[in-house]
mmCIF file of all heavy atoms in Angstrom:
data_model
loop_
_atom_site.group_PDB
_atom_site.id
_atom_site.type_symbol
_atom_site.label_atom_id
_atom_site.label_comp_id
_atom_site.label_asym_id
_atom_site.label_seq_id
_atom_site.Cartn_x
_atom_site.Cartn_y
_atom_site.Cartn_z
ATOM 1 N N VAL A 160 53.514 -23.670 12.089
ATOM 2 C CA VAL A 160 54.867 -23.699 12.654
ATOM 3 C C VAL A 160 55.133 -22.405 13.413
ATOM 4 O O VAL A 160 54.469 -21.393 13.200
ATOM 5 C CB VAL A 160 55.968 -23.829 11.575
ATOM 6 C CG1 VAL A 160 55.967 -25.195 10.938
ATOM 7 C CG2 VAL A 160 55.862 -22.736 10.543
ATOM 8 N N LYS A 161 56.130 -22.486 14.286
ATOM 9 C CA LYS A 161 56.685 -21.263 14.865
ATOM 10 C C LYS A 161 58.167 -21.317 14.537
ATOM 11 O O LYS A 161 58.827 -22.318 14.790
ATOM 12 C CB LYS A 161 56.473 -21.236 16.378
ATOM 13 C CG LYS A 161 56.868 -19.881 16.979
ATOM 14 C CD LYS A 161 56.427 -19.796 18.427
ATOM 15 C CE LYS A 161 56.449 -18.369 18.928
ATOM 16 N NZ LYS A 161 55.271 -17.597 18.588
ATOM 17 N N VAL A 162 58.673 -20.247 13.931
ATOM 18 C CA VAL A 162 60.093 -20.206 13.582
ATOM 19 C C VAL A 162 60.788 -19.169 14.460
ATOM 20 O O VAL A 162 60.380 -18.006 14.500
ATOM 21 C CB VAL A 162 60.309 -19.865 12.088
ATOM 22 C CG1 VAL A 162 61.806 -19.814 11.769
ATOM 23 C CG2 VAL A 162 59.621 -20.899 11.196
ATOM 24 N N ILE A 163 61.799 -19.623 15.173
ATOM 25 C CA ILE A 163 62.629 -18.719 15.967
ATOM 26 C C ILE A 163 63.881 -18.446 15.148
ATOM 27 O O ILE A 163 64.590 -19.382 14.757
ATOM 28 C CB ILE A 163 63.057 -19.351 17.322
ATOM 29 C CG1 ILE A 163 61.882 -20.054 18.007
ATOM 30 C CG2 ILE A 163 63.716 -18.314 18.224
ATOM 31 C CD1 ILE A 163 60.702 -19.188 18.315
ATOM 32 N N GLY A 164 64.134 -17.181 14.845
ATOM 33 C CA GLY A 164 65.328 -16.827 14.071
ATOM 34 C C GLY A 164 66.317 -16.092 14.949
ATOM 35 O O GLY A 164 65.932 -15.330 15.836
ATOM 36 N N ILE A 165 67.589 -16.340 14.716
ATOM 37 C CA ILE A 165 68.638 -15.571 15.406
ATOM 38 C C ILE A 165 69.714 -15.212 14.398
ATOM 39 O O ILE A 165 70.019 -16.004 13.497
ATOM 40 C CB ILE A 165 69.232 -16.334 16.618
ATOM 41 C CG1 ILE A 165 70.333 -15.503 17.289
ATOM 42 C CG2 ILE A 165 69.763 -17.706 16.230
ATOM 43 C CD1 ILE A 165 70.805 -16.040 18.621
ATOM 44 N N ASP A 166 70.257 -14.008 14.522
ATOM 45 C CA ASP A 166 71.356 -13.570 13.653
ATOM 46 C C ASP A 166 72.053 -12.404 14.339
ATOM 47 O O ASP A 166 71.397 -11.573 14.962
ATOM 48 C CB ASP A 166 70.811 -13.122 12.291
ATOM 49 C CG ASP A 166 71.882 -13.152 11.204
ATOM 50 O OD1 ASP A 166 72.861 -12.379 11.323
ATOM 51 O OD2 ASP A 166 71.739 -13.934 10.252
ATOM 52 N N ASN A 167 73.373 -12.353 14.216
ATOM 53 C CA ASN A 167 74.076 -11.228 14.869
ATOM 54 C C ASN A 167 74.094 -9.978 13.997
ATOM 55 O O ASN A 167 74.546 -8.925 14.436
ATOM 56 C CB ASN A 167 75.498 -11.629 15.287
ATOM 57 C CG ASN A 167 76.418 -11.910 14.110
ATOM 58 O OD1 ASN A 167 76.016 -11.786 12.949
ATOM 59 N ND2 ASN A 167 77.649 -12.289 14.394
ATOM 60 N N MET A 168 73.601 -10.101 12.750
ATOM 61 C CA MET A 168 73.484 -8.941 11.847
ATOM 62 C C MET A 168 74.820 -8.191 11.716
ATOM 63 O O MET A 168 74.849 -6.967 11.671
ATOM 64 C CB MET A 168 72.408 -7.960 12.354
ATOM 65 C CG MET A 168 71.039 -8.568 12.523
ATOM 66 S SD MET A 168 70.249 -8.998 10.960
ATOM 67 C CE MET A 168 69.791 -7.389 10.347
ATOM 68 N N ASN A 169 75.915 -8.927 11.665
ATOM 69 C CA ASN A 169 77.219 -8.238 11.596
ATOM 70 C C ASN A 169 77.409 -7.556 10.240
ATOM 71 O O ASN A 169 76.648 -7.767 9.299
ATOM 72 C CB ASN A 169 78.375 -9.200 11.913
ATOM 73 C CG ASN A 169 78.626 -10.223 10.810
ATOM 74 O OD1 ASN A 169 78.124 -10.101 9.705
ATOM 75 N ND2 ASN A 169 79.396 -11.243 11.113
ATOM 76 N N ASP A 170 78.435 -6.712 10.160
ATOM 77 C CA ASP A 170 78.621 -5.916 8.942
ATOM 78 C C ASP A 170 79.664 -6.524 8.002
ATOM 79 O O ASP A 170 80.311 -5.817 7.245
ATOM 80 C CB ASP A 170 79.001 -4.474 9.301
ATOM 81 C CG ASP A 170 80.313 -4.395 10.066
ATOM 82 O OD1 ASP A 170 80.929 -5.461 10.334
ATOM 83 O OD2 ASP A 170 80.741 -3.276 10.398
ATOM 84 N N TYR A 171 79.787 -7.860 8.035
ATOM 85 C CA TYR A 171 80.682 -8.532 7.080
ATOM 86 C C TYR A 171 80.275 -8.155 5.655
ATOM 87 O O TYR A 171 81.092 -8.022 4.767
ATOM 88 C CB TYR A 171 80.623 -10.049 7.294
ATOM 89 C CG TYR A 171 81.300 -10.867 6.215
ATOM 90 C CD1 TYR A 171 82.677 -10.768 6.000
ATOM 91 C CD2 TYR A 171 80.575 -11.740 5.409
ATOM 92 C CE1 TYR A 171 83.296 -11.509 5.005
ATOM 93 C CE2 TYR A 171 81.184 -12.488 4.419
ATOM 94 C CZ TYR A 171 82.542 -12.363 4.218
ATOM 95 O OH TYR A 171 83.163 -13.103 3.235
ATOM 96 N N TYR A 172 78.976 -7.972 5.440
ATOM 97 C CA TYR A 172 78.499 -7.355 4.199
ATOM 98 C C TYR A 172 77.275 -6.496 4.528
ATOM 99 O O TYR A 172 76.804 -6.479 5.672
ATOM 100 C CB TYR A 172 78.230 -8.383 3.092
ATOM 101 C CG TYR A 172 77.152 -9.401 3.347
ATOM 102 C CD1 TYR A 172 75.797 -9.083 3.228
ATOM 103 C CD2 TYR A 172 77.478 -10.723 3.680
ATOM 104 C CE1 TYR A 172 74.813 -10.015 3.438
ATOM 105 C CE2 TYR A 172 76.491 -11.674 3.889
ATOM 106 C CZ TYR A 172 75.162 -11.313 3.770
ATOM 107 O OH TYR A 172 74.182 -12.254 3.987
ATOM 108 N N ASP A 173 76.777 -5.793 3.547
ATOM 109 C CA ASP A 173 75.714 -4.805 3.668
ATOM 110 C C ASP A 173 74.571 -5.219 4.609
ATOM 111 O O ASP A 173 73.786 -6.112 4.301
ATOM 112 C CB ASP A 173 75.162 -4.550 2.255
ATOM 113 C CG ASP A 173 74.106 -3.460 2.230
ATOM 114 O OD1 ASP A 173 73.860 -2.849 3.284
ATOM 115 O OD2 ASP A 173 73.527 -3.228 1.150
ATOM 116 N N VAL A 174 74.487 -4.538 5.746
ATOM 117 C CA VAL A 174 73.451 -4.849 6.746
ATOM 118 C C VAL A 174 72.056 -4.536 6.199
ATOM 119 O O VAL A 174 71.073 -5.194 6.555
ATOM 120 C CB VAL A 174 73.715 -4.089 8.070
ATOM 121 C CG1 VAL A 174 72.628 -4.378 9.095
ATOM 122 C CG2 VAL A 174 75.075 -4.497 8.646
ATOM 123 N N GLU A 175 71.969 -3.547 5.301
ATOM 124 C CA GLU A 175 70.666 -3.198 4.709
ATOM 125 C C GLU A 175 70.078 -4.384 3.933
ATOM 126 O O GLU A 175 68.867 -4.590 3.907
ATOM 127 C CB GLU A 175 70.794 -1.975 3.784
ATOM 128 C CG GLU A 175 71.060 -0.664 4.517
ATOM 129 C CD GLU A 175 70.078 -0.390 5.649
ATOM 130 O OE1 GLU A 175 68.844 -0.493 5.408
ATOM 131 O OE2 GLU A 175 70.520 -0.092 6.780
ATOM 132 N N LEU A 176 70.958 -5.128 3.284
ATOM 133 C CA LEU A 176 70.511 -6.312 2.539
ATOM 134 C C LEU A 176 69.942 -7.343 3.520
ATOM 135 O O LEU A 176 68.890 -7.944 3.269
ATOM 136 C CB LEU A 176 71.694 -6.894 1.749
ATOM 137 C CG LEU A 176 71.436 -8.119 0.870
ATOM 138 C CD1 LEU A 176 70.315 -7.865 -0.131
ATOM 139 C CD2 LEU A 176 72.706 -8.529 0.135
ATOM 140 N N LYS A 177 70.619 -7.512 4.657
ATOM 141 C CA LYS A 177 70.135 -8.457 5.676
ATOM 142 C C LYS A 177 68.777 -8.007 6.223
ATOM 143 O O LYS A 177 67.866 -8.809 6.404
ATOM 144 C CB LYS A 177 71.149 -8.573 6.817
ATOM 145 C CG LYS A 177 72.482 -9.155 6.379
ATOM 146 C CD LYS A 177 73.450 -9.289 7.545
ATOM 147 C CE LYS A 177 74.781 -9.845 7.048
ATOM 148 N NZ LYS A 177 75.741 -10.107 8.121
ATOM 149 N N LYS A 178 68.662 -6.689 6.461
ATOM 150 C CA LYS A 178 67.387 -6.161 6.978
ATOM 151 C C LYS A 178 66.272 -6.374 5.963
ATOM 152 O O LYS A 178 65.141 -6.706 6.318
ATOM 153 C CB LYS A 178 67.524 -4.668 7.291
ATOM 154 C CG LYS A 178 68.324 -4.382 8.558
ATOM 155 C CD LYS A 178 68.421 -2.880 8.782
ATOM 156 C CE LYS A 178 69.269 -2.566 10.013
ATOM 157 N NZ LYS A 178 69.707 -1.146 10.020
ATOM 158 N N SER A 179 66.581 -6.164 4.680
ATOM 159 C CA SER A 179 65.541 -6.309 3.650
ATOM 160 C C SER A 179 65.041 -7.755 3.583
ATOM 161 O O SER A 179 63.877 -8.004 3.289
ATOM 162 C CB SER A 179 66.073 -5.876 2.279
ATOM 163 O OG SER A 179 66.910 -6.861 1.722
ATOM 164 N N ARG A 180 65.947 -8.704 3.881
ATOM 165 C CA ARG A 180 65.503 -10.114 3.884
ATOM 166 C C ARG A 180 64.546 -10.366 5.048
ATOM 167 O O ARG A 180 63.561 -11.090 4.907
ATOM 168 C CB ARG A 180 66.717 -11.034 4.003
ATOM 169 C CG ARG A 180 67.672 -11.008 2.812
ATOM 170 C CD ARG A 180 68.887 -11.820 3.162
ATOM 171 N NE ARG A 180 69.914 -11.853 2.129
ATOM 172 C CZ ARG A 180 71.214 -11.954 2.405
ATOM 173 N NH1 ARG A 180 71.621 -12.014 3.658
ATOM 174 N NH2 ARG A 180 72.094 -12.007 1.436
ATOM 175 N N LEU A 181 64.839 -9.767 6.196
ATOM 176 C CA LEU A 181 63.980 -9.962 7.372
ATOM 177 C C LEU A 181 62.635 -9.258 7.227
ATOM 178 O O LEU A 181 61.640 -9.673 7.824
ATOM 179 C CB LEU A 181 64.680 -9.460 8.642
ATOM 180 C CG LEU A 181 65.826 -10.315 9.184
ATOM 181 C CD1 LEU A 181 66.450 -9.646 10.398
ATOM 182 C CD2 LEU A 181 65.370 -11.725 9.549
ATOM 183 N N ASP A 182 62.621 -8.180 6.431
ATOM 184 C CA ASP A 182 61.376 -7.428 6.227
ATOM 185 C C ASP A 182 60.243 -8.315 5.702
ATOM 186 O O ASP A 182 59.065 -8.030 5.913
ATOM 187 C CB ASP A 182 61.591 -6.266 5.245
ATOM 188 C CG ASP A 182 62.399 -5.129 5.889
ATOM 189 O OD1 ASP A 182 62.549 -5.148 7.131
ATOM 190 O OD2 ASP A 182 62.878 -4.253 5.149
ATOM 191 N N MET A 183 60.624 -9.399 5.007
ATOM 192 C CA MET A 183 59.610 -10.310 4.445
ATOM 193 C C MET A 183 58.711 -10.890 5.533
ATOM 194 O O MET A 183 57.590 -11.288 5.282
ATOM 195 C CB MET A 183 60.288 -11.483 3.721
ATOM 196 C CG MET A 183 61.098 -11.124 2.514
ATOM 197 S SD MET A 183 61.652 -12.610 1.620
ATOM 198 C CE MET A 183 63.003 -13.228 2.646
ATOM 199 N N PHE A 184 59.231 -10.981 6.769
ATOM 200 C CA PHE A 184 58.493 -11.688 7.825
ATOM 201 C C PHE A 184 57.924 -10.764 8.892
ATOM 202 O O PHE A 184 57.403 -11.227 9.891
ATOM 203 C CB PHE A 184 59.412 -12.712 8.521
ATOM 204 C CG PHE A 184 60.342 -13.429 7.602
ATOM 205 C CD1 PHE A 184 61.720 -13.356 7.774
ATOM 206 C CD2 PHE A 184 59.854 -14.176 6.538
ATOM 207 C CE1 PHE A 184 62.592 -14.009 6.914
ATOM 208 C CE2 PHE A 184 60.709 -14.828 5.673
ATOM 209 C CZ PHE A 184 62.079 -14.754 5.855
ATOM 210 N N GLU A 185 58.051 -9.452 8.689
ATOM 211 C CA GLU A 185 57.740 -8.566 9.809
ATOM 212 C C GLU A 185 56.276 -8.625 10.245
ATOM 213 O O GLU A 185 55.957 -8.349 11.390
ATOM 214 C CB GLU A 185 58.170 -7.121 9.512
ATOM 215 C CG GLU A 185 57.430 -6.452 8.376
ATOM 216 C CD GLU A 185 57.947 -5.047 8.115
ATOM 217 O OE1 GLU A 185 58.792 -4.568 8.892
ATOM 218 O OE2 GLU A 185 57.503 -4.425 7.132
ATOM 219 N N ASN A 186 55.389 -9.030 9.344
ATOM 220 C CA ASN A 186 53.975 -9.105 9.728
ATOM 221 C C ASN A 186 53.510 -10.528 10.016
ATOM 222 O O ASN A 186 52.311 -10.782 10.153
ATOM 223 C CB ASN A 186 53.104 -8.493 8.619
ATOM 224 C CG ASN A 186 53.455 -7.033 8.397
ATOM 225 O OD1 ASN A 186 53.697 -6.307 9.361
ATOM 226 N ND2 ASN A 186 53.509 -6.613 7.140
ATOM 227 N N ASP A 187 54.458 -11.456 10.104
ATOM 228 C CA ASP A 187 54.087 -12.855 10.359
ATOM 229 C C ASP A 187 54.359 -13.194 11.820
ATOM 230 O O ASP A 187 55.509 -13.281 12.246
ATOM 231 C CB ASP A 187 54.896 -13.785 9.438
ATOM 232 C CG ASP A 187 54.275 -15.173 9.350
ATOM 233 O OD1 ASP A 187 53.708 -15.636 10.366
ATOM 234 O OD2 ASP A 187 54.353 -15.789 8.268
ATOM 235 N N GLU A 188 53.264 -13.381 12.581
ATOM 236 C CA GLU A 188 53.476 -13.616 14.017
ATOM 237 C C GLU A 188 54.032 -15.003 14.333
ATOM 238 O O GLU A 188 54.357 -15.299 15.465
ATOM 239 C CB GLU A 188 52.181 -13.363 14.802
ATOM 240 C CG GLU A 188 51.031 -14.228 14.390
ATOM 241 C CD GLU A 188 49.714 -13.431 14.333
ATOM 242 O OE1 GLU A 188 49.747 -12.196 14.290
ATOM 243 O OE2 GLU A 188 48.667 -14.091 14.327
ATOM 244 N N ARG A 189 54.148 -15.840 13.282
ATOM 245 C CA ARG A 189 54.758 -17.165 13.511
ATOM 246 C C ARG A 189 56.283 -17.070 13.573
ATOM 247 O O ARG A 189 56.954 -18.059 13.841
ATOM 248 C CB ARG A 189 54.353 -18.127 12.392
ATOM 249 C CG ARG A 189 52.854 -18.415 12.334
ATOM 250 C CD ARG A 189 52.497 -19.186 11.074
ATOM 251 N NE ARG A 189 52.822 -18.432 9.865
ATOM 252 C CZ ARG A 189 52.984 -18.987 8.665
ATOM 253 N NH1 ARG A 189 52.861 -20.301 8.506
ATOM 254 N NH2 ARG A 189 53.265 -18.242 7.616
ATOM 255 N N PHE A 190 56.817 -15.881 13.298
ATOM 256 C CA PHE A 190 58.277 -15.695 13.278
ATOM 257 C C PHE A 190 58.709 -14.784 14.420
ATOM 258 O O PHE A 190 58.170 -13.696 14.592
ATOM 259 C CB PHE A 190 58.703 -15.090 11.942
ATOM 260 C CG PHE A 190 60.190 -14.877 11.805
ATOM 261 C CD1 PHE A 190 61.062 -15.959 11.734
ATOM 262 C CD2 PHE A 190 60.732 -13.589 11.753
ATOM 263 C CE1 PHE A 190 62.427 -15.766 11.603
ATOM 264 C CE2 PHE A 190 62.103 -13.388 11.625
ATOM 265 C CZ PHE A 190 62.952 -14.478 11.545
ATOM 266 N N VAL A 191 59.661 -15.255 15.207
ATOM 267 C CA VAL A 191 60.227 -14.459 16.309
ATOM 268 C C VAL A 191 61.715 -14.309 16.045
ATOM 269 O O VAL A 191 62.408 -15.303 15.781
ATOM 270 C CB VAL A 191 60.033 -15.179 17.675
ATOM 271 C CG1 VAL A 191 60.604 -14.339 18.807
ATOM 272 C CG2 VAL A 191 58.576 -15.491 17.913
ATOM 273 N N PHE A 192 62.213 -13.077 16.089
ATOM 274 C CA PHE A 192 63.627 -12.851 15.751
ATOM 275 C C PHE A 192 64.420 -12.315 16.939
ATOM 276 O O PHE A 192 63.960 -11.444 17.669
ATOM 277 C CB PHE A 192 63.744 -11.865 14.580
ATOM 278 C CG PHE A 192 65.171 -11.608 14.172
ATOM 279 C CD1 PHE A 192 65.894 -12.586 13.496
ATOM 280 C CD2 PHE A 192 65.802 -10.403 14.477
ATOM 281 C CE1 PHE A 192 67.221 -12.364 13.129
ATOM 282 C CE2 PHE A 192 67.118 -10.177 14.113
ATOM 283 C CZ PHE A 192 67.825 -11.162 13.446
ATOM 284 N N PHE A 193 65.617 -12.873 17.120
ATOM 285 C CA PHE A 193 66.558 -12.374 18.122
ATOM 286 C C PHE A 193 67.810 -11.869 17.428
ATOM 287 O O PHE A 193 68.391 -12.580 16.607
ATOM 288 C CB PHE A 193 66.976 -13.499 19.092
ATOM 289 C CG PHE A 193 65.877 -13.920 20.021
ATOM 290 C CD1 PHE A 193 64.988 -14.920 19.637
ATOM 291 C CD2 PHE A 193 65.727 -13.331 21.266
ATOM 292 C CE1 PHE A 193 63.959 -15.316 20.481
ATOM 293 C CE2 PHE A 193 64.709 -13.724 22.118
ATOM 294 C CZ PHE A 193 63.822 -14.715 21.730
ATOM 295 N N LYS A 194 68.205 -10.646 17.763
ATOM 296 C CA LYS A 194 69.489 -10.156 17.263
ATOM 297 C C LYS A 194 70.539 -10.523 18.305
ATOM 298 O O LYS A 194 70.488 -10.045 19.440
ATOM 299 C CB LYS A 194 69.460 -8.641 17.059
ATOM 300 C CG LYS A 194 70.760 -8.142 16.444
ATOM 301 C CD LYS A 194 70.830 -6.629 16.315
ATOM 302 C CE LYS A 194 72.236 -6.265 15.845
ATOM 303 N NZ LYS A 194 72.451 -4.826 15.823
ATOM 304 N N GLY A 195 71.438 -11.409 17.935
ATOM 305 C CA GLY A 195 72.462 -11.853 18.871
ATOM 306 C C GLY A 195 73.315 -12.922 18.233
ATOM 307 O O GLY A 195 73.050 -13.368 17.116
ATOM 308 N N SER A 196 74.339 -13.333 18.955
ATOM 309 C CA SER A 196 75.316 -14.283 18.413
ATOM 310 C C SER A 196 75.122 -15.671 19.019
ATOM 311 O O SER A 196 74.849 -15.793 20.220
ATOM 312 C CB SER A 196 76.729 -13.787 18.732
ATOM 313 O OG SER A 196 77.665 -14.806 18.459
ATOM 314 N N ILE A 197 75.279 -16.683 18.196
ATOM 315 C CA ILE A 197 75.217 -18.053 18.731
ATOM 316 C C ILE A 197 76.416 -18.333 19.636
ATOM 317 O O ILE A 197 76.424 -19.305 20.378
ATOM 318 C CB ILE A 197 75.116 -19.125 17.615
ATOM 319 C CG1 ILE A 197 76.310 -19.056 16.654
ATOM 320 C CG2 ILE A 197 73.801 -19.015 16.870
ATOM 321 C CD1 ILE A 197 76.405 -20.258 15.713
ATOM 322 N N ALA A 198 77.419 -17.455 19.596
ATOM 323 C CA ALA A 198 78.573 -17.604 20.500
ATOM 324 C C ALA A 198 78.238 -17.122 21.917
ATOM 325 O O ALA A 198 79.014 -17.320 22.845
ATOM 326 C CB ALA A 198 79.780 -16.841 19.950
ATOM 327 N N ASP A 199 77.066 -16.499 22.071
ATOM 328 C CA ASP A 199 76.600 -16.053 23.383
ATOM 329 C C ASP A 199 75.822 -17.201 24.022
ATOM 330 O O ASP A 199 74.637 -17.395 23.758
ATOM 331 C CB ASP A 199 75.706 -14.814 23.187
ATOM 332 C CG ASP A 199 75.141 -14.267 24.485
ATOM 333 O OD1 ASP A 199 75.161 -14.988 25.503
ATOM 334 O OD2 ASP A 199 74.658 -13.112 24.472
ATOM 335 N N LYS A 200 76.519 -17.947 24.885
ATOM 336 C CA LYS A 200 75.932 -19.181 25.414
ATOM 337 C C LYS A 200 74.677 -18.920 26.249
ATOM 338 O O LYS A 200 73.688 -19.653 26.147
ATOM 339 C CB LYS A 200 76.970 -19.930 26.252
ATOM 340 C CG LYS A 200 76.534 -21.346 26.595
ATOM 341 C CD LYS A 200 77.652 -22.167 27.176
ATOM 342 C CE LYS A 200 77.251 -23.640 27.209
ATOM 343 N NZ LYS A 200 78.319 -24.477 27.763
ATOM 344 N N GLU A 201 74.711 -17.868 27.036
ATOM 345 C CA GLU A 201 73.565 -17.566 27.895
ATOM 346 C C GLU A 201 72.312 -17.283 27.057
ATOM 347 O O GLU A 201 71.230 -17.789 27.330
ATOM 348 C CB GLU A 201 73.896 -16.356 28.784
ATOM 349 C CG GLU A 201 72.906 -16.165 29.908
ATOM 350 C CD GLU A 201 73.233 -14.950 30.771
ATOM 351 O OE1 GLU A 201 74.321 -14.348 30.603
ATOM 352 O OE2 GLU A 201 72.379 -14.596 31.595
ATOM 353 N N LEU A 202 72.493 -16.480 26.008
ATOM 354 C CA LEU A 202 71.375 -16.177 25.116
ATOM 355 C C LEU A 202 70.810 -17.465 24.506
ATOM 356 O O LEU A 202 69.596 -17.678 24.479
ATOM 357 C CB LEU A 202 71.837 -15.222 23.999
ATOM 358 C CG LEU A 202 70.832 -14.989 22.867
ATOM 359 C CD1 LEU A 202 69.597 -14.237 23.366
ATOM 360 C CD2 LEU A 202 71.473 -14.221 21.706
ATOM 361 N N MET A 203 71.710 -18.315 24.009
ATOM 362 C CA MET A 203 71.266 -19.555 23.364
ATOM 363 C C MET A 203 70.522 -20.454 24.346
ATOM 364 O O MET A 203 69.471 -21.015 24.026
ATOM 365 C CB MET A 203 72.462 -20.303 22.740
ATOM 366 C CG MET A 203 73.131 -19.575 21.588
ATOM 367 S SD MET A 203 71.995 -18.939 20.344
ATOM 368 C CE MET A 203 71.284 -20.457 19.724
ATOM 369 N N MET A 204 71.065 -20.596 25.556
ATOM 370 C CA MET A 204 70.419 -21.428 26.580
ATOM 371 C C MET A 204 69.017 -20.888 26.894
ATOM 372 O O MET A 204 68.060 -21.642 27.013
ATOM 373 C CB MET A 204 71.260 -21.443 27.864
ATOM 374 C CG MET A 204 72.548 -22.259 27.744
ATOM 375 S SD MET A 204 72.201 -24.036 27.587
ATOM 376 C CE MET A 204 73.832 -24.731 27.826
ATOM 377 N N ASN A 205 68.914 -19.559 26.984
ATOM 378 C CA ASN A 205 67.621 -18.944 27.288
ATOM 379 C C ASN A 205 66.596 -19.210 26.190
ATOM 380 O O ASN A 205 65.435 -19.507 26.457
ATOM 381 C CB ASN A 205 67.769 -17.427 27.493
ATOM 382 C CG ASN A 205 68.488 -17.106 28.792
ATOM 383 O OD1 ASN A 205 68.563 -17.950 29.686
ATOM 384 N ND2 ASN A 205 69.031 -15.900 28.910
ATOM 385 N N ILE A 206 67.056 -19.082 24.924
ATOM 386 C CA ILE A 206 66.150 -19.329 23.788
ATOM 387 C C ILE A 206 65.658 -20.782 23.809
ATOM 388 O O ILE A 206 64.468 -21.059 23.657
ATOM 389 C CB ILE A 206 66.840 -18.998 22.443
ATOM 390 C CG1 ILE A 206 67.026 -17.479 22.303
ATOM 391 C CG2 ILE A 206 66.034 -19.545 21.260
ATOM 392 C CD1 ILE A 206 67.846 -17.045 21.094
#
């Protein structure tokens, strides 16, 4: 599989916790991550 992930990484709660969850995939080339908002239509269309 190839998994495309997107998240705006907002500070509604501890951003470090969010980063630690993403750390699990940092060496997996099947995972591509975008930091951004799904409310950004141009970004979503491009993805």
Side-chain angles (χ1 to χ4, degrees):
V160 290
K161 188 170 196 83
V162 179
I163 316 301
I165 179 169
D166 201 296
N167 67 1
M168 303 291 286
N169 71 13
D170 62 359
Y171 169 64
Y172 63 78
D173 184 4
V174 179
E175 290 308 310
L176 182 56
K177 296 181 181 185
K178 286 179 182 163
S179 77
R180 294 173 182 149
L181 287 177
D182 287 347
M183 296 188 284
F184 321 121
E185 65 182 354
N186 299 320
D187 197 326
E188 60 221 17
R189 296 171 299 160
F190 181 68
V191 181
F192 181 73
F193 289 89
K194 184 184 173 186
S196 168
I197 59 168
D199 179 343
K200 192 169 192 180
E201 193 181 351
L202 171 67
M203 294 312 297
M204 288 292 192
N205 289 341
I206 290 173

